[in-house]
Amino acid sequence: MATTVRRAVLTLPAAPLGPENPLPVLRAPADAHALDDRSRDGLPRDMARQIGYGPLRSLLPVRLLDGYQRRRQEREFEAVVIENAHLRVTVLPGLGGRVHSLVHVPTGRELLYRNPVFQPANFALNGAWFSGGIEWNIGATGHTTLSCAPLHAALVPAPDGGVMVRLWEWERLRDVPFQVDLWLPGDSEFLYVGVRVRNPHERPVPVYWWSNIAVPEDSGTRVLAPADEAWHFGYERALRRIPVPQWEGEDRTYPLRSTYPADFFYEVPDGARPWIASLDAGGRGLVQTSTARLRGRKLFVWGAGEGGRRWQEWLTEPGTGGYAEIQAGLARTQLEHVRLEAGSEVSWLEAYGPLAADPAPVHGPDWAAARSSAEAALAAALPREQVEEAYEAWRGAADTEPGERLAAGSGWGALEVLCGGHKLPGTPFGEAGLGEAQAPWLELWRTGVFPTPRRVAPPGPSLVAPHWRDMLETAPAEPLTEYHLGVAQWHAGDVAQAVRSWERGLALAPSRWPLLRCLAVADALAGDPARAAQRFAEAFEDLVEESRGSEPWTAAESALGREAMTALLAAGRLSAARAVWDRLRPALREEGRFRLLAARLLAAEGHVGAARRVFEEGFELPDLREGDEILSELWARVTDRPLPPSYNFRMRPPT
């Protein structure tokens, strides 16, 4: 059977993504993967250096996606299906290029964990993320900001004479283009994936990549990799070297034998073939391997504890089965960023397919025998030399210009290529892709003037790269220009100059709330919570007076209302926090985010019983952040009763 590529429609119960949060992300989100400084002692020198290299100052220029809910309705998603006699691969270009499904055709066996719903949750760097399948994580430690974003997609001639699907986009945190080429040779039991990340700039950039594969999990599932040691990272923020497979009396290569969520980064020896497999009790499952450049391998487990199981339910539907993640990355751990020199690129090839190994050694007590059995099965199914040959063949096709277009991504790459004059064969970012969001920045580049919008609306996205900051500095100093300039200066670390720009803009601004909110954030980070709270309150009041009530305005009211109430509660200004609550739209008050704030306000006002009743009546917090313990902390303030299971999202042992 020759390989076919066709368009398809995937229908799933889906929660809406909602609008972007229009407030610029001036603070990097709380990072559940940050490493305690004491844990850096004794780390290998290269690991310690890369852990300290290129941390994010903020998420700029990316915006938060936090407007999703948990009410699901049937929704259609555009899909691309690649199929031969052995595998059927379903790809979702509109959702980060996620491989939603990988089916072994002869047996009908799904090799991945395929989520039966689309339910965003707060795991991506910019918020919305969903579980299942194979995702391509680029940018910085965490799930990519492109998790729920569209990528460009097109057909390209494959190295074997067939056709492959190319996905590409401009990653905005690091300002780099990347591509993912998927092809399935006609007689192959393995999906090949060629990946390339390019640095078109005259400066080095930090690069991060992890391919994240969700696999079914049950009591018989074992994960195998070519390692005798691993780096364990839990939500206690400590990184420690441990033996594989036994640690603290349990075989941790079985995902359900851990209690709490944790990462196990395998120490794959130099020169060893990189691979990782998830095999069931019968020795069957999925294997992933690659060329040597993709050196890291990892197992993530939710664990068997109450918090981990609650998260699994939260991300899908109760009763649909759990999953673990096997992953492959550029570094040994996900806490590291790799330096990519100016004008250079990094590339590799991955392969995904079914694996069947003798279950006796695979699940036996001898780890070396288990690992060797799986590795021998992989060598028989896909020799290492074949992967290397496929990589070299793919490199010859990586610059081939795409043919038939399957999907369109954002216009940001088109703007950067046009203004920067970058030459990127194989990944075209044409001017036809420019849209409304890029229009004012295109005018700034062409005329030197940032345009005044034709209608009153929340400010559009800010750009913060050095060349955009330079253009803003020389543009006429209108209030909106000063606003965007301050955001760019803030991103560059020039806090004092950012504050001056925002204050200059505030003096003449017809719309004061965007500038007041930026100044409030600056006050908070400067250690002045009282002044920050006052400015947040003023900003919210100004926004409510100006709001036109459409979706962008409601998104702004929701985002700024949450920030204002949080700041006012922290400053002890309860009457002002109550005033913000009173100005909220009734529909916003019913959202879980504001139900939580209502409980916090009631508790602070001394109405402990009323705060407890908010919990008892039930609410859901759609954007609860990974590792956030606000629900358990507030519950403990209002009662000494055990935390109800529906609110138990703890990812670490109680302290």
Side-chain angles (χ1 to χ4, degrees):
M1 175 182 174
T3 299
T4 62
V5 179
R6 67 180 190 275
R7 298 173 186 264
V9 174
L10 177 69
T11 303
L12 293 174
L17 270 176
E20 286 185 333
N21 184 325
L23 307 184
V25 192
L26 300 179
R27 289 178 276 201
D31 186 2
H33 304 94
L35 185 62
D36 186 297
D37 287 339
R38 293 170 296 178
S39 296
R40 300 192 185 202
D41 296 338
L43 294 180
R45 185 175 300 175
D46 63 328
M47 182 188 291
R49 181 179 64 252
Q50 291 183 162
I51 287 174
Y53 174 56
L56 290 178
R57 292 194 186 99
S58 71
L59 290 183
L60 294 167
V62 176
R63 286 180 150 188
L64 286 180
L65 271 174
D66 61 359
Y68 48 86
Q69 301 291 337
R70 292 188 57 81
R71 295 181 295 274
R72 296 193 285 262
Q73 295 180 337
E74 293 289 311
R75 175 183 163 191
E76 293 184 344
F77 296 89
E78 296 295 325
V80 177
V81 178
I82 313 168
E83 185 171 7
N84 67 5
H86 304 285
L87 290 176
R88 182 167 59 251
V89 187
T90 303
V91 184
L92 303 177
L95 294 173
R98 184 81 58 102
V99 175
H100 174 72
S101 172
L102 184 65
V103 174
H104 184 230
V105 173
T107 62
R109 180 187 179 94
E110 175 62 69
L111 300 177
L112 303 173
Y113 168 76
R114 180 172 57 193
N115 198 331
V117 304
F118 173 71
Q119 177 55 64
N122 195 0
F123 279 72
L125 286 165
N126 64 329
W129 172 86
F130 65 105
S131 65
I134 306 172
E135 60 174 316
W136 318 110
N137 287 300
I138 182 173
T141 298
H143 293 281
T144 177
T145 62
L146 296 167
S147 290
C148 294
L151 303 189
H152 300 281
L155 299 181
V156 182
D160 65 342
V163 65
M164 63 184 175
V165 174
R166 174 164 298 162
L167 306 166
W168 73 98
E169 192 39 288
W170 193 278
E171 199 289 309
R172 301 179 68 211
L173 289 180
R174 303 305 193 184
D175 230 8
V176 294
F178 71 97
Q179 72 188 76
V180 178
D181 289 353
L182 305 100
W183 89 98
L184 193 55
D187 60 349
S188 176
E189 292 191 348
F190 283 81
L191 170 69
Y192 289 147
V193 181
V195 182
R196 175 167 63 169
V197 182
R198 290 189 271 197
N199 177 10
H201 306 293
E202 297 178 352
R203 64 183 189 280
V205 295
V207 168
Y208 172 94
W209 184 281
W210 281 80
S211 301
N212 184 357
I213 309 128
V215 290
E217 164 206 73
D218 59 36
S219 59
T221 300
R222 191 178 204 187
V223 172
L224 301 103
D228 294 314
E229 293 182 307
W231 295 91
H232 172 271
F233 183 80
Y235 287 79
E236 306 91 336
R237 302 193 174 190
L239 189 65
R240 47 188 163 179
R241 200 167 190 153
I242 65 169
V244 175
Q246 292 283 335
W247 181 55
E248 293 186 341
E250 289 288 352
D251 187 331
R252 305 296 175 163
T253 59
Y254 290 88
L256 288 176
R257 296 188 187 177
S258 292
T259 302
Y260 292 95
D263 300 325
F264 297 90
F265 299 103
Y266 293 113
E267 187 70 32
V268 178
D270 290 341
R273 182 178 188 180
W275 59 273
I276 190 167
S278 173
L279 304 180
D280 65 13
R284 298 182 302 274
L286 174 76
V287 66
Q288 187 272 359
T289 187
S290 70
T291 48
R293 187 64 188 85
L294 201 68
R295 63 173 297 187
R297 291 300 184 276
K298 169 194 161 181
L299 164 64
F300 168 75
V301 300
W302 284 107
E306 188 175 282
R309 307 327 293 173
R310 180 70 179 108
W311 272 116
Q312 294 251 32
E313 293 177 352
W314 187 254
L315 296 170
T316 177
E317 288 187 330
T320 55
Y323 73 95
E325 293 172 357
I326 57 175
Q327 303 187 21
L330 281 175
R332 278 183 287 191
T333 74
Q334 288 176 326
L335 310 179
E336 303 168 67
H337 299 118
V338 176
R339 182 184 176 99
L340 186 59
E341 297 297 339
S344 66
E345 64 181 52
V346 60
S347 64
W348 61 90
L349 185 97
E350 305 180 44
Y352 296 82
L355 190 69
D358 185 344
V362 161
H363 291 283
D366 186 336
W367 172 244
R371 202 179 63 205
S372 296
S373 177
E375 190 154 15
L378 171 60
L382 184 65
R384 186 174 189 177
E385 297 75 18
Q386 192 171 325
V387 176
E388 298 293 340
E389 291 167 2
Y391 171 67
E392 293 302 328
W394 168 71
R395 286 293 295 144
D399 284 351
T400 303
E401 289 303 308
E404 179 187 345
R405 296 301 179 95
L406 302 173
S410 78
W412 296 113
L415 181 68
E416 294 299 339
V417 167
L418 177 64
C419 299
H422 305 302
K423 304 299 181 185
L424 300 169
T427 55
F429 294 93
E431 289 187 47
L434 293 167
E436 183 179 352
Q438 293 80 42
W441 298 95
L442 185 62
E443 185 168 337
L444 172 65
W445 178 67
R446 286 175 170 163
T447 69
V449 177
F450 196 88
T452 301
R454 294 185 179 89
R455 62 182 184 277
V456 179
S462 297
L463 296 185
V464 296
H467 53 284
W468 294 111
R469 188 174 71 247
D470 291 345
M471 285 184 248
L472 289 167
E473 286 176 344
T474 57
E478 298 296 329
L480 185 57
T481 307
E482 295 286 4
Y483 163 81
H484 287 299
L485 175 57
V487 173
Q489 291 165 330
W490 179 277
H491 178 71
D494 193 346
V495 174
Q497 192 59 56
V499 169
R500 283 193 286 272
S501 295
W502 292 327
E503 288 176 340
R504 283 197 305 269
L506 186 63
L508 298 174
S511 180
R512 293 169 51 82
W513 65 267
L515 294 148
L516 283 168
R517 183 263 176 181
C518 289
L519 290 167
V521 174
D523 289 334
L525 293 182
D528 193 342
R531 189 176 184 187
Q534 179 60 34
R535 276 181 161 158
F536 272 121
E538 291 175 7
F540 182 75
E541 183 67 23
D542 188 68
L543 168 61
V544 171
E545 292 296 327
E546 187 178 49
S547 176
R548 269 55 172 175
S550 58
E551 185 178 73
W553 288 102
T554 303
E557 289 177 49
S558 175
L560 189 50
R562 280 176 274 152
E563 288 189 346
M565 284 193 70
T566 301
L568 290 162
L569 286 169
R573 294 189 54 188
L574 305 186
S575 60
R578 175 63 66 183
V580 171
W581 173 266
D582 290 341
R583 295 299 303 271
L584 289 170
R585 297 174 185 274
L588 289 179
R589 292 185 202 167
E590 296 304 313
E591 293 182 357
R593 305 166 178 92
F594 285 104
R595 299 301 298 157
L596 175 64
L597 282 166
R600 291 181 60 190
L601 177 57
L602 288 166
E605 290 172 333
H607 306 306
V608 174
R612 186 171 60 248
R613 282 193 294 276
V614 174
F615 278 88
E616 292 168 348
E617 291 166 0
F619 67 91
E620 291 185 319
L621 197 61
D623 59 341
L624 180 66
R625 186 71 181 170
E626 174 187 11
D628 195 339
E629 298 177 358
I630 182 62
L631 292 174
S632 55
E633 291 170 355
L634 183 55
W635 177 260
R637 285 179 56 194
V638 300
T639 180
D640 57 2
R641 300 205 305 257
L643 181 68
S646 61
Y647 298 119
N648 187 355
F649 293 88
R650 290 189 64 92
M651 301 182 78
R652 64 189 177 105
T655 55

Coordinates of all heavy atoms in Angstrom, one line a residue, residues 330-374:
L330 N 16.7 18.0 23.6 CA 18.0 18.4 23.2 C 19.0 18.4 24.4 O 20.2 18.3 24.1 CB 18.0 19.9 22.7 CG 17.5 20.1 21.3 CD1 17.4 21.5 20.9 CD2 18.4 19.3 20.3
A331 N 18.6 18.4 25.6 CA 19.5 18.4 26.8 C 19.1 17.2 27.6 O 18.1 16.5 27.4 CB 19.4 19.7 27.5
R332 N 19.9 17.0 28.7 CA 19.6 15.9 29.6 C 18.3 16.1 30.4 O 17.6 15.2 30.7 CB 20.8 15.6 30.5 CG 21.9 14.8 29.9 CD 23.0 14.5 30.9 NE 23.8 15.7 31.1 CZ 25.0 15.7 31.8 NH1 25.4 14.5 32.2 NH2 25.6 16.8 32.0
T333 N 18.0 17.4 30.8 CA 16.9 17.7 31.5 C 16.1 18.8 30.9 O 16.6 19.6 30.0 CB 17.2 18.1 33.0 OG1 17.7 19.4 33.0 CG2 18.2 17.1 33.6
Q334 N 14.9 19.0 31.3 CA 14.0 20.1 30.8 C 14.3 21.4 31.5 O 13.7 22.4 31.2 CB 12.6 19.7 30.9 CG 12.2 18.7 29.9 CD 10.7 18.2 30.0 OE1 10.2 18.2 31.1 NE2 10.1 17.9 29.0
L335 N 15.2 21.4 32.4 CA 15.6 22.7 33.1 C 16.6 23.4 32.4 O 17.0 24.5 32.8 CB 16.1 22.3 34.5 CG 15.2 21.4 35.4 CD1 15.8 21.2 36.7 CD2 13.8 22.0 35.5
E336 N 17.1 22.9 31.3 CA 18.3 23.4 30.5 C 17.8 24.1 29.2 O 16.9 23.6 28.6 CB 19.3 22.3 30.3 CG 19.8 21.6 31.5 CD 20.6 20.4 31.1 OE1 21.7 20.5 30.6 OE2 20.1 19.3 31.4
H337 N 18.6 25.1 28.8 CA 18.5 25.7 27.5 C 19.8 25.5 26.8 O 20.9 25.6 27.4 CB 18.1 27.1 27.5 CG 16.7 27.3 28.2 ND1 16.6 28.1 29.3 CD2 15.5 26.9 27.9 CE1 15.3 28.0 29.7 NE2 14.6 27.3 28.8
V338 N 19.8 25.3 25.5 CA 21.0 25.1 24.7 C 21.3 26.3 23.8 O 20.4 26.9 23.3 CB 20.8 23.8 23.8 CG1 22.1 23.6 22.9 CG2 20.6 22.6 24.7
R339 N 22.6 26.6 23.8 CA 23.0 27.8 23.0 C 23.1 27.4 21.5 O 23.7 26.5 21.1 CB 24.4 28.2 23.5 CG 25.0 29.5 22.8 CD 26.4 29.8 23.3 NE 27.0 30.9 22.6 CZ 27.1 32.1 23.1 NH1 26.5 32.4 24.3 NH2 27.7 33.0 22.4
L340 N 22.4 28.3 20.7 CA 22.4 28.1 19.2 C 23.1 29.4 18.7 O 22.6 30.5 18.8 CB 21.0 28.0 18.7 CG 20.9 27.7 17.2 CD1 21.6 26.4 16.8 CD2 19.4 27.6 16.7
E341 N 24.2 29.2 18.0 CA 25.0 30.3 17.6 C 24.4 31.1 16.5 O 23.5 30.6 15.8 CB 26.4 29.8 17.1 CG 27.2 29.1 18.2 CD 27.6 30.1 19.4 OE1 27.6 31.3 19.2 OE2 27.9 29.6 20.5
A342 N 24.8 32.3 16.3 CA 24.3 33.2 15.3 C 24.4 32.6 13.9 O 25.4 32.0 13.5 CB 25.0 34.5 15.3
G343 N 23.3 32.6 13.1 CA 23.3 32.1 11.8 C 23.4 30.6 11.6 O 23.6 30.1 10.5
S344 N 23.2 29.9 12.7 CA 23.4 28.4 12.6 C 22.0 27.8 12.8 O 21.0 28.4 13.0 CB 24.4 27.9 13.7 OG 23.8 28.2 15.0
E345 N 22.0 26.4 12.7 CA 20.8 25.7 12.9 C 21.1 24.4 13.6 O 22.3 23.9 13.7 CB 20.1 25.4 11.5 CG 21.0 24.5 10.6 CD 20.3 24.3 9.3 OE1 19.8 25.3 8.6 OE2 20.2 23.1 8.9
V346 N 20.1 23.7 14.1 CA 20.2 22.4 14.7 C 19.1 21.5 14.2 O 18.0 22.0 14.0 CB 20.2 22.5 16.3 CG1 18.9 23.1 16.8 CG2 20.4 21.1 16.9
S347 N 19.4 20.3 13.8 CA 18.4 19.4 13.3 C 18.7 17.9 13.7 O 19.8 17.6 14.1 CB 18.4 19.5 11.7 OG 19.7 19.0 11.2
W348 N 17.6 17.1 13.6 CA 17.7 15.7 13.9 C 16.5 15.0 13.3 O 15.6 15.6 12.7 CB 17.7 15.5 15.4 CG 16.5 16.1 16.1 CD1 15.3 15.4 16.4 CD2 16.2 17.4 16.6 NE1 14.4 16.2 17.0 CE2 14.9 17.4 17.1 CE3 17.0 18.6 16.6 CZ2 14.4 18.6 17.7 CZ3 16.5 19.7 17.1 CH2 15.2 19.7 17.7
L349 N 16.5 13.7 13.4 CA 15.4 12.9 12.9 C 14.9 12.0 14.1 O 15.7 11.4 14.8 CB 15.9 12.0 11.8 CG 14.7 11.2 11.2 CD1 14.2 11.9 9.9 CD2 15.1 9.8 10.8
E350 N 13.6 11.9 14.2 CA 13.0 11.0 15.2 C 12.2 9.9 14.4 O 11.8 10.1 13.3 CB 12.0 11.8 16.1 CG 12.7 12.9 16.8 CD 11.7 13.7 17.7 OE1 10.9 13.0 18.4 OE2 11.7 14.9 17.7
A351 N 12.0 8.8 15.1 CA 11.2 7.7 14.5 C 10.2 7.2 15.6 O 10.7 7.0 16.7 CB 12.0 6.6 14.0
Y352 N 9.0 6.9 15.2 CA 7.9 6.4 16.1 C 7.3 5.2 15.5 O 6.9 5.3 14.3 CB 6.9 7.5 16.4 CG 7.3 8.8 17.0 CD1 8.0 9.8 16.3 CD2 7.1 9.0 18.4 CE1 8.4 10.9 16.9 CE2 7.6 10.1 19.0 CZ 8.2 11.1 18.2 OH 8.6 12.3 18.8
G353 N 7.1 4.1 16.3 CA 6.5 3.0 15.8 C 6.2 1.9 16.8 O 6.5 2.1 18.0
P354 N 5.5 0.8 16.4 CA 5.2 -0.2 17.4 C 6.4 -1.0 17.7 O 7.4 -1.2 16.9 CB 4.2 -1.1 16.6 CG 4.6 -0.9 15.1 CD 5.1 0.5 15.1
L355 N 6.4 -1.6 18.9 CA 7.5 -2.5 19.4 C 6.9 -3.7 20.1 O 6.0 -3.5 20.9 CB 8.5 -1.7 20.3 CG 9.8 -2.5 20.6 CD1 10.7 -2.6 19.4 CD2 10.6 -1.8 21.8
A356 N 7.4 -4.8 19.8 CA 7.0 -6.1 20.5 C 8.3 -6.8 20.9 O 9.1 -7.1 20.1 CB 6.2 -7.0 19.5
A357 N 8.4 -6.9 22.3 CA 9.5 -7.6 22.9 C 9.1 -8.7 23.8 O 7.9 -8.8 24.2 CB 10.4 -6.6 23.7
D358 N 10.0 -9.6 24.1 CA 9.7 -10.8 24.9 C 9.3 -10.2 26.3 O 10.1 -9.6 27.0 CB 10.9 -11.7 25.1 CG 10.6 -13.0 25.8 OD1 9.6 -13.0 26.5 OD2 11.4 -13.9 25.7
P359 N 8.0 -10.5 26.7 CA 7.6 -9.9 28.0 C 8.3 -10.5 29.2 O 8.4 -9.8 30.3 CB 6.1 -10.2 28.1 CG 5.9 -11.4 27.2 CD 6.9 -11.3 26.1
A360 N 8.9 -11.7 29.1 CA 9.5 -12.2 30.3 C 10.7 -11.4 30.8 O 10.8 -11.0 31.9 CB 9.9 -13.7 30.1
P361 N 11.7 -11.1 29.9 CA 12.8 -10.3 30.3 C 12.4 -8.8 30.5 O 12.8 -8.1 31.4 CB 13.8 -10.4 29.3 CG 13.1 -10.9 28.1 CD 12.0 -11.7 28.6
V362 N 11.4 -8.3 29.7 CA 11.0 -6.9 29.8 C 10.5 -6.6 31.1 O 10.7 -5.5 31.7 CB 10.0 -6.6 28.6 CG1 9.2 -5.3 29.0 CG2 10.7 -6.4 27.3
H363 N 9.7 -7.6 31.7 CA 9.1 -7.3 33.0 C 9.8 -8.1 34.1 O 9.3 -8.3 35.2 CB 7.6 -7.7 33.0 CG 6.8 -6.7 32.1 ND1 6.5 -5.5 32.6 CD2 6.3 -6.8 30.9 CE1 5.8 -4.8 31.6 NE2 5.7 -5.6 30.6
G364 N 11.0 -8.6 33.8 CA 11.7 -9.4 34.8 C 12.5 -8.5 35.8 O 12.6 -7.3 35.6
P365 N 13.1 -9.1 36.8 CA 13.8 -8.4 37.8 C 15.1 -7.9 37.4 O 15.7 -7.0 38.0 CB 13.9 -9.4 39.0 CG 13.9 -10.7 38.3 CD 13.0 -10.6 37.1
D366 N 15.7 -8.4 36.3 CA 17.0 -8.0 35.8 C 16.9 -6.8 34.9 O 16.4 -7.0 33.7 CB 17.7 -9.2 35.1 CG 19.1 -8.9 34.8 OD1 19.5 -7.7 34.6 OD2 19.9 -9.9 34.6
W367 N 17.2 -5.6 35.3 CA 17.0 -4.4 34.5 C 17.9 -4.5 33.3 O 17.4 -4.1 32.2 CB 17.3 -3.2 35.3 CG 17.4 -1.9 34.6 CD1 18.5 -1.1 34.3 CD2 16.3 -1.3 33.9 NE1 18.1 0.0 33.6 CE2 16.8 -0.1 33.3 CE3 14.9 -1.6 33.7 CZ2 16.0 0.8 32.5 CZ3 14.1 -0.8 33.0 CH2 14.6 0.4 32.4
A368 N 19.1 -4.9 33.4 CA 20.0 -5.0 32.2 C 19.4 -5.9 31.1 O 19.4 -5.6 29.9 CB 21.4 -5.5 32.6
A369 N 18.8 -7.0 31.5 CA 18.1 -8.0 30.6 C 16.9 -7.4 30.0 O 16.6 -7.5 28.8 CB 17.8 -9.3 31.3
A370 N 16.1 -6.6 30.8 CA 14.9 -6.0 30.3 C 15.2 -5.0 29.2 O 14.6 -4.9 28.2 CB 14.1 -5.3 31.5
R371 N 16.2 -4.2 29.6 CA 16.6 -3.1 28.6 C 17.2 -3.7 27.3 O 16.9 -3.3 26.2 CB 17.7 -2.3 29.3 CG 17.9 -0.9 28.8 CD 18.9 -0.2 29.6 NE 20.2 -0.8 29.5 CZ 21.2 -0.7 30.4 NH1 20.9 -0.1 31.5 NH2 22.3 -1.3 30.2
S372 N 18.0 -4.7 27.5 CA 18.6 -5.4 26.3 C 17.6 -6.0 25.4 O 17.7 -6.0 24.2 CB 19.7 -6.4 26.8 OG 20.7 -5.8 27.5
S373 N 16.6 -6.6 26.0 CA 15.5 -7.3 25.3 C 14.8 -6.2 24.4 O 14.5 -6.5 23.2 CB 14.6 -8.0 26.2 OG 13.5 -8.5 25.5
A374 N 14.4 -5.1 25.0 CA 13.8 -4.1 24.3 C 14.7 -3.5 23.2 O 14.2 -3.2 22.0 CB 13.3 -3.0 25.2

